[in-house]
Amino acid sequence: MKLVGAQVGTARIAKGLTQRAFAEALHIDVETVASIEQGRRTLMPHVAEKMDRLLGLPGILTVAANRLPEVDTIPAWAEEYMEREAEALALSWYDTLIVPGLLQTEEYARAVFGCHVPYIGEEKIGLQTALRMKRQRILRRATPPTLSFVLWEPVLRDRLGGDVIWRDQLRHLRDCADSPGISLQVLPMGMTKHAGLSGPFILLETPDFQRLAYSESQRGSLLVRDPNEVSILAQKYAMLRSQALNFVQTKDLLDRLLGET
């Protein structure tokens, strides 16, 4: 990362650009440019492509970005997804295991990271929790994204962190269900047909109307750009919404669960 960062800085200076001018031309923060040049931040492939074009390089930085080893706690693909998430026009999220990160309370998020095996320690749990809460800033944007969530019912029944944390998380979801910018639906148990058996995924629309998808597995993550693959996941999501409880039924289920606590 330091080597690639030094190459970026050298090429920028040779082009006669300040970090601020470079950042503005790339439409990213000047702090991001500084972090990349200092080797503190991974150079993402899509940013590297823009840099190559701006600096007149024959794909050198793009090759370097694609060959970087994933040494951070956040893999390169996940880091790029989070950058895209922060500016997304719309997000459609299907989850079968945990409450989606954008809807988690702080204590629930802490409990999720505390389930990691091997145990990652209190310091790292605190850091990861803080990063997750920071991601939720997009909910408070002047123009927040259009958000749709489909959760499999067991997500609501697992009492991660204990009864108090679980109850607070259910209350938070019930509040989210009343938010005008959030569509929340629950896929009930006992279905005879289920369009999401292959696991969780997220659909994302960028400010330039590009449609992407993102999925995670036990040991990695994948940002999907292929329009055909994104289309398949979009079809799955549409089917999941039709199979899930509607908005009113979802609120009724949350109310019943809260009544049982």
Side-chain angles (χ1 to χ4, degrees), residues 33 48 51 78 139 238:
V33 170
M51 288 182 174
L139 304 178

Side-chain angles (χ1 to χ4, degrees), residues 93-154:
W93 194 316
Y94 168 60
D95 219 314
T96 62
L97 302 174
I98 58 173
V99 172
L102 295 181
L103 302 183
Q104 291 179 7
T105 65
E106 184 170 350
E107 290 307 313
Y108 181 92
R110 189 178 299 277
V112 168
F113 290 121
C115 292
H116 192 281
V117 177
Y119 181 63
I120 59 178
E122 285 300 317
E123 182 178 352
K124 197 167 184 179
I125 289 173
L127 174 62
Q128 297 281 41
T129 301
L131 289 172
R132 179 147 296 176
M133 293 301 101
K134 185 177 179 181
R135 284 172 61 192
Q136 295 183 6
R137 290 178 182 175
I138 70 170
L139 304 178
R140 299 182 289 277
R141 281 182 355 201
T143 306
T146 300
L147 297 169
S148 172
F149 299 91
V150 176
L151 310 183
W152 194 32
E153 187 177 343

Side-chain angles (χ1 to χ4, degrees), residues 41-181:
R41 186 184 183 97
T42 304
L43 176 59
M44 305 307 301
H46 72 286
V47 177
E49 290 175 6
K50 293 180 181 179
M51 288 182 174
D52 277 332
R53 288 195 296 269
L54 184 61
L55 298 172
L57 300 175
I60 292 173
L61 297 178
T62 302
V63 170
N66 281 300
R67 297 294 182 90
L68 277 172
E70 294 181 356
V71 296
D72 282 344
T73 54
I74 301 175
W77 283 117
E79 186 175 338
E80 182 177 355
Y81 165 74
M82 289 177 190
E83 289 181 0
R84 297 301 183 97
E85 179 187 83
E87 62 181 12
L89 293 179
L91 290 165
S92 300
W93 194 316
Y94 168 60
D95 219 314
T96 62
L97 302 174
I98 58 173
V99 172
L102 295 181
L103 302 183
Q104 291 179 7
T105 65
E106 184 170 350
E107 290 307 313
Y108 181 92
R110 189 178 299 277
V112 168
F113 290 121
C115 292
H116 192 281
V117 177
Y119 181 63
I120 59 178
E122 285 300 317
E123 182 178 352
K124 197 167 184 179
I125 289 173
L127 174 62
Q128 297 281 41
T129 301
L131 289 172
R132 179 147 296 176
M133 293 301 101
K134 185 177 179 181
R135 284 172 61 192
Q136 295 183 6
R137 290 178 182 175
I138 70 170
L139 304 178
R140 299 182 289 277
R141 281 182 355 201
T143 306
T146 300
L147 297 169
S148 172
F149 299 91
V150 176
L151 310 183
W152 194 32
E153 187 177 343
V155 171
L156 304 180
R157 296 189 176 274
D158 280 343
R159 303 186 177 218
L160 298 182
D163 287 351
V164 174
I165 291 174
W166 172 68
R167 191 179 303 116
D168 288 344
Q169 179 63 68
L170 284 182
R171 288 197 190 100
H172 181 61
L173 286 174
R174 184 61 181 83
D175 290 341
C176 290
D178 282 333
S179 174

Side-chain angles (χ1 to χ4, degrees), residues 153 156-157 170 173-175 177-178 184-186 245-260:
E153 187 177 343
L156 304 180
R157 296 189 176 274
L170 284 182
L173 286 174
R174 184 61 181 83
D175 290 341
D178 282 333
L184 179 62
Q185 295 177 258
V186 173
L245 302 176
N246 64 31
F247 308 141
V248 174
Q249 293 168 331
T250 293
K251 291 178 184 181
D252 288 345
L253 174 58
L254 288 168
D255 288 337
R256 290 199 303 274
L257 290 172
L258 284 166
E260 294 171 5

